[in-house]
Each structure stands twice: as C-alpha cells, then as structure tokens.
Amino acid sequence: MVSTSNLIILGITAVYLVVVLGIGQFASRVTSSSREDFLMADRSFNTVVLLAALFATNMTAVVMIGAPGLAYRAGSSAYGFFVALFAFLFPVFIMTIGYRIWLVGKEFGHITPGQIVNHRWDAKYLGLLLVGMFTVWTVPYVLVGVQGAGITLEAITEGLVPYWLGAFVTLAVVAIYVYQGGMRGTGWTNTFQGAVFILFLLAIFLWIPLKLGGFHEATQAVAEIKNGVFLNRAGIPPFGPKVWFSQALVVALGAFVYPHLFIRYMTANSVKTLKNTSVLYPIAVVVVWTPAVLLGFWGIAQFPDLANTDFILPTMVAELLPVWAIGFALAGILAALMSSLDGQVLTLSTMFSEDVVREFFDTTEQQEVWYSRVFLVVIFGAAYAGALLTQDSIVDTATFAFSGYALMFAPIVIAFYFRRSTKETAYAGLIWGFVGIWAFEFGLLPASLTFGFLPFIPVFVSQLVVMAVVTYLTSVPDSAPVGEYEALFEDVW
Amino acid sequence: MLRGSIWWPDTPRSIAFVAVVALMIILHQSQFVGLMDSTTLVFGWLPAQIAYDVAFNLVGVGVLYALYRAAPEPPTTHEPTRED
C-alpha cells in the first residue's frame, strides 16, 4: 500500500540504484570493444577493486539474509560453522594456487577455467564439461539472488512492490551495467556496493544493541533461553564435530573454484595485488560476518517464533529503526545481492562465448563480445523466468551448490601441480564428484556411507582415489604442453 | 610442479607452511580447546565461540602476512601495463 514511509524507503532505494547505474555507465566509457577489455577489464584491477570484486561477489544473500537466519536458528556458532576456516584457507589458496592461475592467464592469454584445462591437458571437450557443470551449480545461485531481491522488496514495502516487479527491477539494473561495462562495470560497482553493505552492517551492529539496552543486555536476554543453548555448539545438531569439519571444507574448497571468482583472479594487475587481497580478505570477512551473525543471535530473544527465520535481519531493522534506516537497509541488502548476480551472470556468458562459441565456431573478436552480450540478455531472461517459477528456499539451494563446486576443486587444481595428471584424470574426477553428490541427494547411496560427515567428504575422498588410479592407467601425450607449465611455475608457489 | 611448490614439505619453509595450515584446520575444531559447551561471555557480552572464531581469523591474518613477506617475487615479464 502507498504510504509516506513506503515512499521514503523506495526513494532511498531508487537513489541507490541510480548511483549504481551511474558507476556502471562511467565504467562503460573507458571500456573498449576488445575481448580482453570487456571480459577481463584488461587484467587491470588494483587491490581495492579486486578485493571488492572478490569479496562483494562472494558475499551473497547468504551473508545478509542467510547468516543472521542461521544464527537465529542455531546461535552464535554460525560464524565458525560457515566462514571461520574459509576466511583462512581461501586467501591461502589465492596466494598459492591463485598465483599460478594468474600466471597462466597472463602467459597464455586464457580467460576461462575451461580454456586453461583444455590447454593444460591438450583436450578438446574438457572445457565444455566444465561449462556444463559450472552452469548446473551457478544457475540456482543466480536464482537465489533474484528470489532474494523480489522477496525483500515485497516484504519491506509491505506488498507495494510485488515480487515479480522487485525481481525485475533488480535484474534490469544489473543487466544494464553489466551489458555496458562488462568486467570493469562489475568491478567498479562492486567496490561501491561492498562499501554500502559493510557500512550498513557496521551501523546497525552499533545501533540495534543500543535500542535493546546495550551489548550486555542483548546477549543476556539470549543467554537466559534454555540454559544458554545458543551460546555454544553443544546440543545444536549441525555443529557436531563431523559436520562442522565437513561444512568448513565444503565452503573453503567450493568458493575457491567458483567460476566468477576463478576468472577474477586473472583480472589482477599484478601478483602483488593478489597477495595484498589475500591478507585483507579475512579482515573483510570478520567485519561483515561478525555483525551479521550477532544481529541474528540477538534477534532470538527479541523476536521469537518468526515464521521465516531468514527474515530476522529485515524484521529487526523494520521494528527497531526509523523508516529512513529501513531505506538504507534495503539498499544494503540489494547491494549484497546485486554484487553477486553481476559476477555470476557475466561469468556464465563469458564461458559460453569463450568455451563454446570461440572454441567451436569461427568468430572475430567483435562478434565474440557481441555474443557475450547476447548471452547476458538470455541468461538474465532465464533467471527472471526461473525466479518466478522456483519454490526452493535460499539456504537449501546455496548449501547443495557449495558441495557441487567443492567437488570440482581437485580435478581443476591438479592442473597446476601434478605433472603426471592427464585429461582422463580430470574427466574421471569431475564426473565421479558430480555423480556421487547427486547419488547421495537422490538417495541412491545410503546416508550411512557418510559416516556422520556431510556427503561431500566420502565423495571427495573416493574422488581422490579414482583420480589417482586413472592417472596411473593413462599416459601424458607428447602434445601436452607440460614443459611450458613447468617452466612457468619454476620458483613460484 | 608440486615438488617445487610451497605445498611440498621438503624445506624448512614449506614444512612450516604445511604444518601451520594443518594446525589451523585442527584449531578450527573448537571442541579441542574446550569450547563445545562453554557459556563464557568475553567482555561480558560476546559468546566465547564467536570470540574464538574471530581471534582464529585474526591469527590467520598474521599467518597470511608472514606468507606475504616470504612469497617469491613474481617474474618481471608479467608486471602490469596499466592500473584502474
């Protein structure tokens, strides 16, 4: 319904979206029509832009909606469960494996993971398999972002902006700046969007406890519930040692091979930029996740029995803060969603144009950029249609996709470390991991085979065994450029 | 390729690196430091588990900074041509 408060909220949100579009427009003015510039920003990102691009792209609806929701359901241990190990291992991977990925991109001019594996193992269709698998795991993630935008806009405006319109406007804004500015458009807008949602979270992290009487009072109210069950891991089923360990590995390994992050490792303007980003990344995680988790945790006592636990953060903002703050809250939530959507969709279109069109058809560079833009429009259209049809919840979709990505970690990373590996090793690992995780999902493999861990662990261990066996059953062809890679990685981590 | 990397523990530096990564993975299992059922509040309001996790990440920053200082210089042939 139309009210003054709704108009204030929508006004602030509209200003935010216009600023994002303006940044995208500015980025497009310095982006040429060359393939390297449109798809890779000419490999020119400095530390600030790369950190923002990697961080904002990775911090999806999971941090703004999922993290407070998880803390609301399971307590303050949500931080350690989801991101503590990731925030250490992911930067370690960037500094070591990412270093090699960056070098390969720079030396051979590769843009996508598919091009790297095809070249490294002298394969023709391995890249195509990667595109297919990445698409399977990324499309649901894109839908999650569109869903989140539609749901949030409808909820906060009390139905004034219906789900279909909220999802459409958000997608349209992202589509315009990605279409115009390509990788540079996403990098620059991510820098702004990352700053918006970090400032928003820090502001409400200080403001909301003050409304509750202080940090001590806010925590004490939760501590008094069921003898302090929400203060620790005991008695919370997902936080048992085996699932705790599994989840940490799934998130750390899965996030590293997200295609939208993998491609961005190669956009760094130097190795020093990658190294700087690695050191700063955990600090960004601490700054964002600590408020997100504690806000959800404090919400347990203030708003018990929420029907949809994912809505604890918008509920707290709406109930405890003035109307203009709700406008900024909406902008902050949209910032997190849009800064992930852009990278995911640009990456999917890049993979289709590079690994399918360029690989199998004769095209010019300009035609390729044109195809990338066509794919962008098609993917945005499909994402919108999917968001109108899907019934899945945000957390369910995200958690399953994490496992899928994580099972692509080993088959891809061995390209940079194992001289003896072959394309058959990679094929076997990818297919084994994919089939294995779906077999558990559909109940074709009994849950007892997980031994209490998440299904990822037994599939991952068996995947390594399968890859080792296949490696020693096959031989490296003379045509594989192993020597070039060895020379490139000499004296490199 | 693996043997020349930091992940292959054949020098004091790479042994230390692999050991620290393994130690961090173990330390992430907070039950080993007695936090499984802790109701302690740090500063009177911060649950011990999340305080531990944040401290774990800040220690991680220290480890990453040490890696940053120890990492080999990249080949000069791959330096940037321009910067955004």
Side-chain angles (χ1 to χ4, degrees):
Chain A
M1 96 191 140
V2 180
S3 63
T4 308
S5 56
N6 271 340
L7 291 177
I8 292 172
I9 292 169
L10 287 178
I12 292 171
T13 308
V15 169
Y16 166 74
L17 293 177
V18 168
V19 173
V20 171
L21 280 174
I23 294 170
Q25 175 67 25
F26 186 57
S28 74
R29 290 188 182 179
V30 293
T31 299
S32 72
S33 59
S34 80
R35 161 179 169 265
E36 272 279 312
D37 206 22
F38 184 76
L39 300 178
M40 298 296 282
D42 229 4
R43 303 180 200 260
S44 63
F45 282 174
N46 60 28
T47 302
V48 173
V49 178
L50 183 67
L51 176 64
L54 290 180
F55 185 70
T57 302
N58 210 7
M59 296 296 120
T60 61
V62 172
V63 68
M64 297 297 281
I65 296 174
L70 182 61
Y72 180 82
R73 290 192 298 278
S76 59
S77 305
Y79 181 105
F81 178 69
F82 222 93
V83 289
L85 189 61
F86 155 78
F88 173 69
L89 281 184
F90 179 74
V92 168
F93 291 153
I94 293 179
M95 205 179 284
T96 54
I97 309 165
Y99 190 152
R100 294 186 172 209
I101 293 171
W102 182 87
L103 271 178
V104 168
K106 199 82 172 172
E107 174 73 13
F108 302 114
H110 297 322
I111 287 177
T112 65
Q115 289 171 340
I116 291 177
V117 297
N118 271 350
H119 179 240
R120 165 66 179 83
W121 285 303
D122 191 30
K124 181 75 176 169
Y125 300 104
L126 190 54
L128 202 57
L129 181 64
L130 276 193
V131 173
M133 289 186 176
F134 276 140
T135 303
V136 166
W137 299 121
T138 303
V139 165
Y141 233 156
V142 173
L143 295 188
V144 161
V146 185
Q147 258 182 291
I151 291 170
T152 307
L153 271 162
E154 181 174 280
I156 288 187
T157 63
E158 296 169 323
L160 178 62
V161 178
Y163 174 85
W164 66 266
L165 182 59
F168 178 79
V169 170
T170 308
L171 262 183
V173 171
V174 176
I176 290 169
Y177 73 72
V178 177
Y179 186 94
Q180 291 180 317
M183 179 62 86
R184 185 171 287 102
T186 67
W188 288 12
T189 53
N190 283 180
T191 307
F192 172 69
Q193 291 170 317
V196 166
F197 72 75
I198 287 174
L199 287 176
F200 159 70
L201 272 173
L202 289 178
I204 62 172
F205 177 61
L206 297 175
W207 198 348
I208 285 181
L210 287 178
K211 301 287 279 187
L212 301 176
F215 289 99
H216 175 78
E217 286 72 12
T219 297
Q220 204 53 44
V222 184
E224 288 167 6
I225 300 171
K226 296 180 185 172
N227 296 319
V229 70
F230 293 113
L231 296 178
N232 54 50
R233 294 167 53 192
I236 309 281
F239 297 164
K242 290 181 177 177
V243 176
W244 183 269
F245 173 74
S246 312
Q247 178 77 11
L249 275 191
V250 164
V251 176
L253 301 187
F256 182 73
V257 292
Y258 282 171
H260 42 284
L261 300 190
F262 193 108
I263 288 178
R264 287 177 176 201
Y265 306 145
M266 295 185 278
T267 62
N269 63 13
S270 68
V271 170
K272 188 162 185 254
T273 294
L274 269 184
K275 286 161 57 183
N276 292 342
T277 303
S278 301
V279 177
L280 295 173
Y281 199 92
I283 298 171
V285 172
V286 169
V287 167
V288 167
W289 270 77
T290 309
V293 166
L294 283 173
L295 285 165
F297 168 74
W298 288 327
I300 298 170
Q302 306 304 322
F303 302 97
D305 307 321
L306 271 189
N308 186 344
T309 57
D310 281 347
F311 273 81
I312 182 60
L313 186 62
T315 301
M316 293 178 86
V317 170
E319 296 294 326
L320 298 172
L321 302 182
V323 67
W324 60 266
I326 301 172
F328 283 106
L330 186 53
I333 292 170
L334 289 182
L337 302 178
M338 291 163 61
S339 61
S340 305
L341 272 176
D342 58 13
Q344 291 162 337
V345 175
L346 177 65
T347 297
L348 284 178
S349 80
T350 300
M351 290 193 300
F352 283 125
S353 63
E354 288 287 316
D355 296 329
V356 180
V357 175
R358 183 182 170 86
E359 181 71 20
F360 296 101
F361 302 94
D362 190 21
T363 55
T364 66
E365 199 163 293
Q366 272 66 34
Q367 284 174 319
E368 205 187 316
V369 172
W370 184 82
Y371 276 118
S372 295
R373 287 183 158 136
V374 169
F375 285 131
L376 277 174
V377 174
V378 171
I379 295 166
F380 276 117
Y384 182 60
L388 294 182
L389 298 172
T390 186
Q391 301 290 323
D392 288 343
S393 78
I394 286 176
V395 170
D396 287 349
T397 309
T399 300
F400 186 56
F402 270 126
S403 297
Y405 287 119
L407 287 164
M408 299 177 75
F409 178 87
I412 293 174
V413 166
I414 57 167
F416 307 95
Y417 287 93
F418 289 94
R419 186 186 194 289
R420 181 68 182 76
S421 62
T422 65
K423 63 183 176 188
E424 288 82 7
T425 310
Y427 273 121
L430 287 168
I431 293 168
W432 184 273
F434 190 84
V435 171
I437 199 72
W438 281 106
F440 274 113
E441 176 71 8
F442 288 133
L444 300 175
L445 290 173
S448 59
L449 284 180
T450 64
F451 304 105
F453 294 94
L454 290 180
F456 162 78
I457 295 292
V459 179
F460 182 64
V461 171
S462 59
Q463 179 189 53
L464 295 180
V465 173
V466 166
M467 287 167 61
V469 170
V470 172
T471 296
Y472 288 98
L473 289 176
T474 54
S475 55
V476 181
D478 294 337
S479 53
V482 181
E484 292 176 56
Y485 279 77
E486 274 189 322
L488 187 64
F489 297 152
E490 202 170 337
D491 300 324
V492 166
W493 278 6
Chain B
M1 291 194 282
L2 177 63
R3 284 178 186 273
S5 80
I6 191 75
W7 293 98
W8 186 258
D10 62 347
T11 65
R13 191 170 68 174
S14 58
I15 290 169
F17 168 76
V18 172
V20 167
V21 170
L23 181 64
M24 291 294 279
I25 292 173
I26 293 167
L27 286 177
H28 174 253
Q29 297 291 108
S30 59
Q31 69 273 16
F32 295 141
V33 291
L35 287 180
M36 197 72 184
D37 54 2
S38 170
T39 52
T40 302
L41 295 176
V42 179
F43 309 128
W45 62 271
L46 190 61
Q49 177 65 53
I50 191 168
Y52 176 80
D53 292 325
V54 170
F56 174 86
N57 281 150
L58 296 179
V59 169
V61 172
V63 172
L64 287 161
Y65 183 69
L67 284 174
Y68 178 94
R69 298 300 301 244
E73 286 299 314
T76 53
T77 49
H78 296 300
E79 276 306 288
T81 50
R82 75 188 180 97
E83 189 166 306
D84 270 359

